[in-house]
Amino acid sequence: MQATDLLSLCRSKGLTIATAESCTGGMVGAWLTEVAGSSDVFDRGFITYSNAAKRDMLGVKQATLDTHGAVSEQVASEMARGARDRSQADLAVSITGIAGPGGSEHKPEGRVCFGIATPTTCQTETIEFGAVGRANVRTEAAIHALALLSHAALALGDT
């Protein structure tokens, strides 16, 4: 789903969006705000590239970072919940991953964790995009985040 379609869907349901982006560095927010009139749906975006920003801006716990690392579903969950709780948004998506180059045996290049928070739930998932290059990982992660927001918006009843 493209940004214009997501914005139209959310507008029709009276839903607002926030983003919490790490490896995508604000791409999702940029795509949403390229559309004129998006301010009635897109509330705000948090670009939390460092662990300190994740803690300070979104309330990610240091213990979660220490135990699971920044690229984990646990951190993605806390990021999504933090973005929703610290905004006026109905839906929040989070993205944290290893765009590359590089990675490790335990966390390879192309691994991206996502969170999607609604008023009542927060779901997470991990996608392995592979070592397809930094730009491709970031783009695919941003596209996936739009799809997660779309699915969440479709699942919510009209408000």
Side-chain angles (χ1 to χ4, degrees):
M1 179 172 277
Q2 297 205 353
T4 53
D5 299 325
L6 172 60
L7 291 165
S8 294
L9 171 63
C10 288
R11 194 173 287 117
S12 74
K13 292 186 165 240
L15 300 172
T16 55
I17 295 171
T19 59
E21 300 184 64
S22 186
C23 67
T24 49
M27 288 175 73
V28 175
W31 289 354
L32 291 169
T33 58
E34 283 178 0
V35 180
S38 60
S39 62
D40 64 340
V41 173
F42 184 64
D43 179 60
R44 69 191 76 187
F46 300 87
I47 301 173
T48 55
Y49 206 70
S50 70
N51 286 349
K54 289 173 181 65
R55 287 190 316 266
D56 297 345
M57 295 173 70
L58 300 173
V60 173
K61 296 179 186 97
Q62 184 63 50
T64 307
L65 290 162
D66 292 344
T67 302
H68 302 285
V71 180
S72 65
E73 290 188 16
Q74 293 85 352
V75 167
S77 177
E78 290 185 18
M79 287 173 66
R81 288 175 194 226
R84 206 185 90 66
D85 292 347
R86 287 163 172 77
S87 70
Q88 304 299 312
D90 301 298
L91 304 173
V93 68
S94 66
I95 309 162
T96 182
I98 301 172
S104 70
E105 178 183 340
H106 301 291
K107 293 190 180 179
E109 178 180 333
R111 176 173 293 172
V112 182
C113 301
F114 299 87
I116 184 80
T118 71
T120 58
T121 65
C122 186
Q123 298 178 336
T124 60
E125 67 181 20
T126 300
I127 304 290
E128 304 285 349
F129 292 106
V132 295
R134 184 175 182 81
N136 290 328
V137 169
R138 294 176 75 229
T139 299
E140 291 303 316
I143 290 168
H144 189 71
L146 290 178
L148 288 173
L149 286 165
S150 298
H151 293 309
L154 285 169
L156 288 178
D158 291 340
T159 56

